Coordinates of all heavy atoms in Angstrom, one line a residue:
M1 N -82.7 67.4 18.3 CA -82.8 66.1 19.1 C -81.6 65.3 19.0 O -81.0 65.3 17.9 CB -84.0 65.4 18.6 CG -84.4 64.2 19.4 SD -85.9 63.3 18.8 CE -85.4 61.7 18.8
H2 N -81.2 64.8 20.1 CA -79.9 63.9 20.1 C -80.3 62.5 20.7 O -81.3 62.4 21.4 CB -78.8 64.6 20.7 CG -78.9 64.9 22.1 ND1 -79.7 64.1 23.0 CD2 -78.5 65.9 22.8 CE1 -79.7 64.7 24.2 NE2 -79.0 65.7 24.2
E3 N -79.3 61.6 20.5 CA -79.6 60.2 21.2 C -78.2 60.0 21.8 O -77.2 60.7 21.8 CB -79.8 59.2 20.1 CG -78.6 59.2 18.9 CD -79.0 58.2 17.8 OE1 -78.9 57.1 18.0 OE2 -79.6 58.8 16.8
E4 N -78.2 59.0 22.7 CA -77.1 58.5 23.4 C -76.5 57.3 22.7 O -77.2 56.4 22.2 CB -77.4 58.1 24.9 CG -77.9 59.3 25.6 CD -76.8 59.9 26.4 OE1 -75.8 59.5 26.7 OE2 -77.0 61.2 26.7
I5 N -75.1 57.1 22.6 CA -74.5 56.1 22.0 C -73.3 55.7 22.8 O -72.6 56.4 23.5 CB -74.1 56.3 20.6 CG1 -73.7 55.1 19.8 CG2 -73.0 57.4 20.5 CD1 -73.7 55.3 18.2
E6 N -73.0 54.5 22.8 CA -71.8 53.8 23.5 C -70.5 54.4 22.8 O -70.4 54.7 21.6 CB -71.6 52.3 23.3 CG -72.9 51.6 23.9 CD -74.1 51.5 22.9 OE1 -73.9 51.8 21.7 OE2 -75.2 51.2 23.4
L7 N -69.6 54.8 23.8 CA -68.3 55.5 23.4 C -67.5 54.7 22.4 O -66.9 55.1 21.5 CB -67.4 55.8 24.6 CG -68.0 56.7 25.6 CD1 -67.0 56.7 26.9 CD2 -68.1 58.1 25.0
D8 N -67.6 53.3 22.4 CA -66.7 52.4 21.5 C -67.3 52.4 20.1 O -66.7 51.7 19.3 CB -66.5 51.1 22.2 CG -67.8 50.3 22.3 OD1 -68.9 50.9 22.1 OD2 -67.6 49.1 22.8
R9 N -68.4 53.0 19.9 CA -69.0 53.0 18.5 C -68.7 54.4 17.7 O -69.2 54.5 16.7 CB -70.6 52.8 18.6 CG -70.9 51.4 19.0 CD -72.3 51.1 19.0 NE -73.0 51.5 17.8 CZ -74.3 51.8 17.7 NH1 -75.0 51.7 18.8 NH2 -74.9 52.0 16.6
L10 N -67.8 55.1 18.5 CA -67.4 56.4 17.8 C -65.9 56.3 17.6 O -65.1 55.8 18.2 CB -67.7 57.6 18.7 CG -69.0 57.9 19.1 CD1 -69.2 58.9 20.2 CD2 -69.9 58.2 17.8
Y11 N -65.7 56.9 16.3 CA -64.2 56.8 15.8 C -63.8 58.2 15.4 O -64.4 59.0 14.9 CB -64.1 55.9 14.5 CG -64.4 54.5 15.0 CD1 -65.7 54.0 14.9 CD2 -63.4 53.6 15.4 CE1 -66.0 52.7 15.4 CE2 -63.7 52.3 15.9 CZ -65.0 51.8 15.9 OH -65.3 50.6 16.3
I12 N -62.3 58.4 15.6 CA -61.8 59.7 15.2 C -61.8 59.7 13.7 O -61.4 58.7 13.0 CB -60.4 59.9 15.8 CG1 -60.5 59.8 17.3 CG2 -59.6 61.0 15.2 CD1 -59.0 59.8 18.0
S13 N -62.0 60.9 13.1 CA -62.2 61.0 11.7 C -60.7 60.9 11.1 O -59.8 61.5 11.6 CB -62.6 62.4 11.3 OG -62.5 62.7 10.0
P14 N -60.6 60.1 10.0 CA -59.3 60.0 9.4 C -59.0 61.3 8.7 O -57.8 61.5 8.2 CB -59.5 58.8 8.2 CG -60.9 58.7 8.1 CD -61.7 59.3 9.4
L15 N -59.9 62.4 8.5 CA -59.6 63.5 7.9 C -59.0 64.5 8.9 O -58.6 65.7 8.6 CB -61.0 64.2 7.5 CG -61.7 63.4 6.4 CD1 -63.1 64.0 6.1 CD2 -60.9 63.1 5.1
R16 N -58.9 64.2 10.2 CA -58.3 64.9 11.3 C -56.8 65.0 10.9 O -56.1 64.0 10.7 CB -58.5 64.2 12.6 CG -58.0 65.2 13.7 CD -58.3 64.5 15.1 NE -57.9 65.4 16.1 CZ -56.7 65.4 16.6 NH1 -55.7 64.6 16.1 NH2 -56.3 66.2 17.6
P17 N -56.1 66.3 11.1 CA -54.8 66.3 10.8 C -53.9 65.5 11.8 O -54.1 65.6 13.0 CB -54.6 67.9 10.9 CG -55.8 68.4 10.8 CD -56.8 67.4 11.3
P18 N -53.1 64.6 11.3 CA -52.4 63.8 12.2 C -51.4 64.4 13.2 O -51.2 63.8 14.2 CB -51.8 62.7 11.2 CG -51.8 63.4 10.0 CD -52.9 64.3 9.9
P19 N -50.7 65.4 12.8 CA -49.7 65.9 13.7 C -50.2 66.6 15.0 O -49.5 66.7 16.0 CB -48.8 66.9 12.9 CG -49.8 67.3 11.7 CD -50.7 66.1 11.5
L20 N -51.5 66.9 15.0 CA -52.0 67.5 16.2 C -52.2 66.6 17.3 O -52.7 65.5 17.1 CB -53.3 68.3 15.8 CG -53.2 69.4 14.8 CD1 -54.6 70.0 14.4 CD2 -52.3 70.5 15.2
P21 N -51.9 66.9 18.6 CA -52.1 66.1 19.6 C -53.8 66.0 19.9 O -54.4 67.0 19.5 CB -51.4 66.6 20.9 CG -51.2 68.1 20.5 CD -51.2 68.2 18.9
L22 N -54.1 65.0 20.6 CA -55.6 64.9 21.0 C -55.9 66.1 21.9 O -55.0 66.3 22.9 CB -55.8 63.6 21.6 CG -55.9 62.4 20.6 CD1 -56.1 61.1 21.4 CD2 -56.8 62.5 19.5
P23 N -57.1 66.6 21.8 CA -57.5 67.8 22.7 C -58.0 67.2 24.1 O -59.1 67.3 24.4 CB -58.5 68.4 22.0 CG -59.2 67.3 21.1 CD -58.1 66.4 20.8
W24 N -57.2 66.6 24.9 CA -57.5 66.1 26.1 C -58.1 67.2 27.0 O -57.7 68.3 27.0 CB -56.4 65.4 26.9 CG -56.0 64.2 26.3 CD1 -55.0 63.9 25.5 CD2 -56.7 62.9 26.4 NE1 -55.0 62.6 25.0 CE2 -56.1 62.0 25.6 CE3 -57.9 62.5 26.9 CZ2 -56.5 60.6 25.4 CZ3 -58.3 61.1 26.7 CH2 -57.6 60.3 26.0
P25 N -59.2 66.8 27.9 CA -59.8 67.9 28.7 C -59.0 68.3 29.8 O -58.2 67.4 30.3 CB -61.2 67.2 29.1 CG -60.9 65.7 28.9 CD -60.0 65.6 27.8
T26 N -59.0 69.5 30.3 CA -58.3 70.0 31.4 C -58.9 69.4 32.8 O -60.1 69.0 32.8 CB -58.2 71.5 31.5 OG1 -59.6 72.0 31.6 CG2 -57.6 72.0 30.2
A27 N -58.2 69.5 33.8 CA -58.7 69.2 35.2 C -60.1 70.2 35.5 O -61.0 69.5 36.1 CB -57.7 69.5 36.2
D28 N -59.9 71.4 35.2 CA -61.1 72.2 35.4 C -62.3 71.8 34.6 O -63.5 71.7 35.2 CB -60.8 73.7 35.0 CG -59.8 74.3 35.9 OD1 -59.8 73.9 37.1 OD2 -59.3 75.4 35.6
E29 N -62.2 71.3 33.2 CA -63.4 70.8 32.5 C -63.8 69.5 33.1 O -65.1 69.3 33.1 CB -62.8 70.7 31.1 CG -62.5 71.9 30.4 CD -61.9 71.8 29.0 OE1 -60.9 70.9 28.9 OE2 -62.1 72.6 28.1
L30 N -63.0 68.6 33.6 CA -63.3 67.4 34.2 C -64.2 67.7 35.4 O -65.2 67.1 35.6 CB -62.2 66.5 34.6 CG -61.5 65.8 33.4 CD1 -60.2 65.2 33.8 CD2 -62.3 64.7 32.9
A31 N -63.6 68.6 36.2 CA -64.3 69.0 37.5 C -65.8 69.6 37.3 O -66.8 69.1 37.9 CB -63.6 70.0 38.3
R32 N -65.8 70.4 36.2 CA -67.1 71.1 35.9 C -68.1 70.0 35.3 O -69.4 70.0 35.8 CB -66.9 72.1 34.7 CG -68.0 73.1 34.5 CD -67.8 74.3 33.6 NE -66.4 74.7 33.8 CZ -65.5 74.7 32.8 NH1 -65.8 74.3 31.6 NH2 -64.3 75.2 33.0
A33 N -67.6 69.0 34.5 CA -68.6 68.0 33.9 C -69.0 67.1 35.1 O -70.2 66.7 35.2 CB -67.8 67.2 33.0
R34 N -68.0 66.8 36.1 CA -68.5 66.0 37.1 C -69.6 66.6 37.9 O -70.5 66.1 38.5 CB -67.4 65.7 38.1 CG -66.5 64.5 37.4 CD -65.5 64.0 38.5 NE -64.6 63.0 38.0 CZ -63.4 63.2 37.6 NH1 -62.8 64.5 37.8 NH2 -62.6 62.2 37.1
E35 N -69.4 67.9 38.3 CA -70.3 68.9 39.0 C -71.7 68.8 38.4 O -72.7 68.7 39.1 CB -69.7 70.3 39.3 CG -70.5 71.0 40.2 CD -69.8 72.4 40.3 OE1 -68.7 72.4 40.8 OE2 -70.5 73.4 40.0
T36 N -71.7 69.2 37.1 CA -73.0 69.3 36.4 C -73.5 68.1 35.8 O -74.8 68.1 35.7 CB -72.8 70.4 35.3 OG1 -71.9 69.8 34.3 CG2 -72.3 71.8 35.7
G37 N -72.7 67.2 35.4 CA -73.3 65.9 34.9 C -73.6 66.0 33.4 O -74.3 65.3 32.9
L38 N -73.2 67.2 32.9 CA -73.6 67.6 31.5 C -72.4 67.4 30.6 O -71.3 67.9 30.9 CB -74.1 69.0 31.4 CG -75.4 69.2 32.2 CD1 -75.7 70.6 32.0 CD2 -76.5 68.3 31.6
I39 N -72.6 66.8 29.4 CA -71.6 66.9 28.3 C -72.5 67.3 27.0 O -73.4 66.6 26.8 CB -70.9 65.5 28.0 CG1 -70.1 65.2 29.4 CG2 -70.1 65.5 26.8 CD1 -69.3 63.8 29.2
E40 N -71.9 68.2 26.3 CA -72.7 68.6 25.1 C -72.6 67.4 24.0 O -71.6 66.7 24.1 CB -72.1 69.8 24.5 CG -72.4 71.0 25.4 CD -71.9 72.3 24.8 OE1 -72.1 72.6 23.5 OE2 -71.3 73.2 25.5
P41 N -73.5 67.3 23.1 CA -73.4 66.3 22.2 C -72.3 66.4 21.2 O -71.7 67.5 20.9 CB -74.7 66.5 21.3 CG -75.7 67.3 22.2 CD -74.7 68.2 23.1
V42 N -71.8 65.2 20.7 CA -70.9 65.2 19.6 C -71.5 65.0 18.4 O -72.5 64.3 18.2 CB -70.0 63.9 19.9 CG1 -68.9 63.6 18.9 CG2 -69.5 63.9 21.3
I43 N -71.0 65.8 17.5 CA -71.6 65.7 16.0 C -70.9 64.7 15.2 O -69.6 64.6 15.0 CB -71.3 67.1 15.2 CG1 -71.9 68.2 16.1 CG2 -72.1 67.1 13.9 CD1 -73.2 68.2 16.6
V44 N -71.7 63.7 14.6 CA -71.1 62.6 14.0 C -71.7 62.3 12.7 O -72.8 62.9 12.4 CB -71.2 61.3 14.8 CG1 -70.5 61.5 16.2 CG2 -72.7 60.9 15.1
R45 N -71.2 61.4 11.8 CA -71.8 60.9 10.7 C -71.7 59.4 10.7 O -70.6 58.9 11.1 CB -71.2 61.6 9.4 CG -69.9 61.1 9.1 CD -69.4 61.8 7.8 NE -68.1 61.3 7.4 CZ -67.5 61.6 6.2 NH1 -68.0 62.2 5.4 NH2 -66.2 61.2 6.0
P46 N -72.7 58.8 10.1 CA -72.6 57.3 10.0 C -71.3 56.7 9.2 O -71.0 57.3 8.2 CB -73.8 56.8 9.4 CG -74.7 58.0 9.4 CD -73.9 59.2 9.4
L47 N -70.6 55.7 9.7 CA -69.7 55.0 8.9 C -70.3 54.0 8.0 O -71.1 53.1 8.4 CB -68.7 54.4 9.8 CG -67.7 55.2 10.5 CD1 -67.0 54.5 11.5 CD2 -66.8 55.9 9.5
P48 N -70.1 54.0 6.7 CA -70.7 53.2 5.8 C -70.4 51.7 6.0 O -69.3 51.4 6.4 CB -70.3 53.6 4.3 CG -69.5 54.8 4.5 CD -69.2 55.0 6.0
G49 N -71.4 50.8 5.8 CA -71.0 49.4 5.9 C -71.1 48.9 7.3 O -70.5 47.7 7.5
T50 N -71.3 49.7 8.4 CA -71.4 49.1 9.7 C -72.8 48.9 10.2 O -73.7 49.7 10.0 CB -70.7 50.1 10.7 OG1 -71.3 51.4 10.6 CG2 -69.2 50.4 10.3
R51 N -73.1 47.7 10.9 CA -74.4 47.4 11.3 C -74.1 46.8 12.7 O -73.3 45.7 12.9 CB -75.0 46.3 10.5 CG -75.7 46.8 9.2 CD -77.0 47.5 9.7 NE -77.7 48.1 8.6 CZ -77.8 49.4 8.4 NH1 -77.5 50.3 9.4 NH2 -78.6 49.9 7.5
P52 N -74.6 47.2 13.9 CA -75.4 48.5 13.9 C -74.5 49.6 13.5 O -73.2 49.4 13.6 CB -75.8 48.6 15.4 CG -75.0 47.8 16.1 CD -74.6 46.7 15.2
P53 N -75.0 50.7 13.1 CA -74.1 51.9 12.6 C -73.0 52.4 13.6 O -73.4 52.5 14.8 CB -75.0 52.9 12.2 CG -76.2 52.7 12.9 CD -76.2 51.2 13.1
D54 N -71.8 52.4 13.2 CA -70.8 53.1 13.9 C -70.7 54.5 13.3 O -71.3 54.7 12.3 CB -69.5 52.3 13.8 CG -69.4 51.1 14.7 OD1 -70.1 50.9 15.6 OD2 -68.6 50.1 14.2
Y55 N -70.0 55.4 14.0 CA -70.0 56.8 13.7 C -68.6 57.4 13.7 O -67.8 57.1 14.4 CB -70.9 57.7 14.6 CG -72.3 57.2 14.4 CD1 -73.0 56.2 15.3 CD2 -73.2 57.6 13.6 CE1 -74.1 55.7 15.3 CE2 -74.5 57.3 13.4 CZ -74.9 56.3 14.3 OH -76.3 55.9 14.2
E56 N -68.3 58.4 12.8 CA -67.2 59.0 12.7 C -67.4 60.5 13.4 O -68.4 61.2 13.1 CB -66.7 59.4 11.2 CG -65.6 60.2 11.0 CD -65.3 60.4 9.5 OE1 -66.0 59.8 8.6 OE2 -64.5 61.2 9.2
I57 N -66.5 60.8 14.2 CA -66.6 62.1 15.0 C -66.3 63.4 14.0 O -65.2 63.3 13.4 CB -65.7 62.2 16.2 CG1 -66.1 61.1 17.1 CG2 -65.8 63.6 16.9 CD1 -65.1 60.8 18.3
L58 N -67.2 64.1 13.7 CA -66.9 65.4 13.0 C -66.6 66.6 13.8 O -65.8 67.4 13.4 CB -68.2 65.7 12.2 CG -68.6 64.6 11.2 CD1 -70.1 64.9 10.6 CD2 -67.6 64.3 10.1
F59 N -67.3 66.7 15.0 CA -67.1 67.9 15.9 C -67.4 67.3 17.3 O -68.3 66.7 17.5 CB -68.0 69.0 15.5 CG -67.7 70.2 16.3 CD1 -66.6 71.1 16.0 CD2 -68.5 70.6 17.3 CE1 -66.3 72.2 16.8 CE2 -68.3 71.8 18.1 CZ -67.2 72.5 17.9
G60 N -66.5 67.7 18.2 CA -66.7 67.4 19.5 C -65.8 66.3 20.0 O -66.1 65.5 21.0
L61 N -64.6 66.1 19.4 CA -63.6 65.0 19.8 C -63.3 65.3 21.4 O -63.2 64.3 22.1 CB -62.4 65.2 19.0 CG -61.2 64.3 19.3 CD1 -61.7 62.8 19.3 CD2 -60.0 64.5 18.3
K62 N -63.1 66.6 21.9 CA -62.8 66.8 23.2 C -63.9 66.2 24.1 O -63.7 65.7 25.2 CB -62.6 68.2 23.5 CG -61.9 68.6 24.8 CD -61.5 70.1 24.9 CE -60.6 70.2 25.9 NZ -60.0 71.7 25.9
R63 N -65.1 66.4 23.7 CA -66.4 66.0 24.5 C -66.3 64.4 24.6 O -66.7 63.9 25.6 CB -67.7 66.4 23.8 CG -67.8 67.8 23.7 CD -68.9 68.2 22.9 NE -68.9 69.6 22.7 CZ -69.5 70.2 21.5 NH1 -70.4 69.4 20.8 NH2 -69.4 71.5 21.3
W64 N -65.9 63.8 23.5 CA -65.8 62.2 23.6 C -64.7 61.8 24.5 O -64.9 60.9 25.3 CB -65.5 61.8 22.1 CG -65.3 60.3 21.9 CD1 -66.2 59.3 22.1 CD2 -64.2 59.7 21.4 NE1 -65.7 58.0 21.8 CE2 -64.4 58.3 21.4 CE3 -62.9 60.2 21.0 CZ2 -63.5 57.4 20.9 CZ3 -62.0 59.3 20.5 CH2 -62.3 57.9 20.4
L65 N -63.6 62.6 24.5 CA -62.5 62.2 25.3 C -62.8 62.6 26.8 O -62.5 61.8 27.7 CB -61.2 63.0 25.0 CG -60.6 62.6 23.5 CD1 -59.6 63.8 23.2 CD2 -60.0 61.2 23.6
L66 N -63.6 63.6 27.1 CA -64.1 64.0 28.4 C -64.9 62.8 29.0 O -64.8 62.4 30.1 CB -64.9 65.3 28.3 CG -65.5 65.8 29.5 CD1 -64.5 66.1 30.7 CD2 -66.3 67.0 29.3
A67 N -65.9 62.3 28.1 CA -66.7 61.3 28.5 C -65.9 60.0 28.8 O -66.2 59.4 30.0 CB -67.7 60.8 27.4
Q68 N -64.8 59.7 28.2 CA -63.9 58.6 28.4 C -63.3 58.8 29.8 O -63.2 58.0 30.7 CB -62.9 58.5 27.3 CG -63.3 58.0 26.0 CD -62.3 57.8 25.0 OE1 -61.1 57.6 25.4 NE2 -62.6 58.0 23.8
R69 N -62.7 60.1 30.0 CA -62.0 60.4 31.3 C -63.0 60.3 32.5 O -62.6 59.9 33.6 CB -61.5 61.7 31.2 CG -60.2 61.8 30.4 CD -59.0 61.3 31.3 NE -57.8 61.1 30.4 CZ -56.8 62.0 30.3 NH1 -56.9 63.2 31.0 NH2 -55.8 61.6 29.6
L70 N -64.2 60.5 32.2 CA -65.3 60.5 33.4 C -65.7 59.1 33.5 O -66.5 58.8 34.5 CB -66.4 61.4 33.0 CG -66.2 62.8 33.1 CD1 -67.3 63.6 32.5 CD2 -65.8 63.2 34.5
G71 N -65.4 58.2 32.7 CA -65.8 56.8 32.8 C -67.3 56.5 32.4 O -67.8 55.4 32.9
L72 N -67.7 57.4 31.6 CA -69.1 57.2 31.1 C -69.2 56.0 30.0 O -68.3 55.8 29.3 CB -69.7 58.4 30.5 CG -69.7 59.7 31.5 CD1 -70.2 61.0 30.6 CD2 -70.5 59.4 32.6
A73 N -70.3 55.3 30.0 CA -70.5 54.3 29.0 C -71.1 55.0 27.6 O -70.8 54.4 26.6 CB -71.5 53.2 29.5
T74 N -71.8 56.0 27.8 CA -72.4 56.6 26.6 C -72.2 58.1 26.6 O -71.8 58.8 27.5 CB -73.9 56.4 26.5 OG1 -74.4 57.1 27.6 CG2 -74.2 55.0 26.6
V75 N -72.4 58.7 25.3 CA -72.2 60.1 25.1 C -73.4 60.6 24.2 O -73.9 59.7 23.3 CB -70.8 60.5 24.5 CG1 -70.8 60.0 23.2 CG2 -70.5 61.9 24.5
P76 N -73.9 61.8 24.4 CA -75.0 62.2 23.5 C -74.4 62.6 22.1 O -73.2 63.0 22.0 CB -75.4 63.5 24.1 CG -74.5 64.0 25.1 CD -73.7 62.8 25.5
I77 N -75.1 62.3 21.1 CA -74.6 62.6 19.7 C -75.8 63.2 18.9 O -76.9 63.0 19.2 CB -74.1 61.2 18.9 CG1 -75.3 60.3 18.7 CG2 -72.9 60.7 19.5 CD1 -75.0 59.1 17.7
I78 N -75.3 63.9 17.9 CA -76.2 64.4 16.8 C -75.7 63.9 15.6 O -74.6 64.1 15.1 CB -76.3 66.0 16.8 CG1 -76.8 66.5 18.2 CG2 -77.0 66.5 15.6 CD1 -76.8 68.0 18.3
V79 N -76.5 63.2 14.8 CA -76.1 62.6 13.5 C -76.3 63.5 12.3 O -77.4 64.1 12.2 CB -76.8 61.2 13.2 CG1 -76.4 60.6 12.1 CG2 -76.7 60.3 14.5
R80 N -75.4 63.7 11.5 CA -75.5 64.5 10.2 C -75.1 63.8 9.1 O -74.1 62.9 9.2 CB -74.6 65.6 10.3 CG -74.9 66.6 11.5 CD -76.1 67.6 11.1 NE -76.4 68.4 12.2 CZ -77.4 68.6 13.0 NH1 -78.4 67.8 12.7 NH2 -77.6 69.5 13.8
A81 N -75.7 64.0 8.0 CA -75.3 63.3 6.6 C -74.4 64.4 6.0 O -74.8 65.3 5.5 CB -76.6 63.1 5.8
V82 N -73.1 64.1 6.0 CA -72.1 64.8 5.4 C -71.2 64.1 4.6 O -70.7 62.9 4.9 CB -71.2 65.5 6.6 CG1 -70.0 66.3 5.9 CG2 -72.1 66.3 7.6
S83 N -71.0 64.5 3.4 CA -70.2 63.7 2.4 C -68.6 64.2 2.7 O -68.3 65.1 3.5 CB -70.4 64.3 0.8 OG -70.0 65.6 0.6
D84 N -67.7 63.4 2.0 CA -66.4 63.6 2.2 C -65.8 65.0 1.5 O -64.8 65.6 2.0 CB -65.4 62.5 1.5 CG -65.5 61.3 2.3 OD1 -65.9 61.4 3.6 OD2 -65.1 60.3 1.9
E85 N -66.7 65.5 0.6 CA -66.3 66.7 0.0 C -66.6 67.9 1.0 O -66.0 69.0 1.0 CB -67.1 67.1 -1.2 CG -66.7 66.1 -2.4 CD -67.2 64.7 -2.3 OE1 -68.5 64.7 -2.0 OE2 -66.5 63.8 -2.5

């Protein structure tokens, strides 16, 4: 089961290697998402000390960027409890 959350409540993980460029979606991926209206959920974990909770992106950064490019207000998420280890 997943929920929808506002894009501005999701943050890129500080554990992501900094030298890599962001994985922006291609024109084909944008066209496919516009055609189907579907974006797969982003896997996230809650950021401690945030109310309402904000989330760190663990997997699906490209999906989050795709939702931004499409001008969506929300994106589906799946919340996982994952430690830094």
Side-chain angles (χ1 to χ4, degrees):
M1 182 173 139
H2 63 34
E3 58 186 279
E4 294 273 330
I5 191 166
E6 297 83 14
L7 293 174
D8 61 355
R9 292 184 49 207
L10 298 174
Y11 294 91
I12 296 173
S13 173
L15 303 175
R16 182 179 187 277
L20 298 175
L22 290 177
W24 289 101
T26 65
D28 287 342
E29 290 168 323
L30 284 167
R32 194 172 324 117
R34 278 191 187 105
E35 183 179 306
T36 63
L38 298 174
I39 295 182
E40 291 185 45
V42 177
I43 310 299
V44 299
R45 71 176 180 173
L47 286 171
T50 58
R51 281 281 183 244
D54 289 332
Y55 298 91
E56 176 183 352
I57 299 169
L58 300 174
F59 184 77
L61 181 57
K62 192 171 196 175
R63 299 170 193 162
W64 177 63
L65 295 168
L66 177 63
Q68 289 180 28
R69 285 279 166 101
L70 291 172
L72 301 178
T74 62
V75 68
I77 62 168
I78 297 174
V79 180
R80 297 282 186 243
V82 178
S83 69
D84 286 343
E85 288 82 44

